[in-house]
Amino acid sequence: MTTTQVKIEEKLFQNRYRVDEGRPHVSLRKAEVCRDECTDKVCTHCCPAGCYTLDADGGVTLTTDGCLECGTCRIICSDHQNVEWWYPRGGYGILFKFG
Ligand code: SF4
Ligand code: SF4
């Protein structure tokens, strides 16, 4: 019997995401806290959707498109409490397909 291996990127591609323009459900409270006070910036490593990216100036950019609503960033930023997190409004956000 053969098994087919599916990469995580291929599984994520199956999801659909409806953007709520101008109303991101996750945001950074203070960008300067990320840039100046947070040394490990764990969000850039732990988000399964890669929503957090490191900037050249040491800051962090958050792009919520594709967010899986897992809540990891809210928990992982407990030292700085710098992530504002809500579920998206009804009809917006992630639509999981095929697991
Ligand atoms: S872990 Fe929190 S404070 Fe640190 S860079 Fe990420 S969002 Fe900013
Ligand atoms: S809730 Fe999960 S997928 Fe969404 S930005 Fe946070 S860590 Fe990434």
Side-chain angles (χ1 to χ4, degrees):
M1 187 174 86
T2 59
T3 56
T4 304
Q5 291 193 336
V6 181
K7 292 180 180 174
I8 186 70
E9 291 82 3
E10 292 170 330
K11 294 196 85 172
L12 288 172
F13 186 71
Q14 302 295 329
N15 298 326
R16 294 294 173 263
Y17 192 88
R18 188 165 175 225
V19 176
D20 195 357
E21 290 292 348
R23 297 184 65 161
H25 66 288
V26 188
S27 60
L28 300 171
R29 292 196 171 111
K30 293 182 179 177
E32 61 272 24
V33 170
C34 298
R35 188 186 62 233
D36 303 330
E37 298 178 26
C38 182
T39 53
D40 48 13
K41 303 183 200 314
V42 287
C43 56
T44 62
H45 303 291
C46 296
C47 173
C51 294
Y52 292 82
T53 52
L54 195 58
D55 299 335
D57 68 354
V60 164
T61 295
L62 166 60
T63 306
T64 57
D65 299 6
C67 169
L68 303 172
E69 299 168 24
C70 67
T72 301
C73 54
R74 185 171 65 106
I75 303 299
I76 210 82
C77 187
S78 57
D79 283 356
H80 295 284
Q81 301 281 319
N82 201 31
V83 173
E84 191 80 46
W85 202 102
W86 305 91
Y87 281 109
R89 290 191 298 160
Y92 294 94
I94 193 78
L95 174 64
F96 291 102
K97 301 176 82 173
F98 309 117

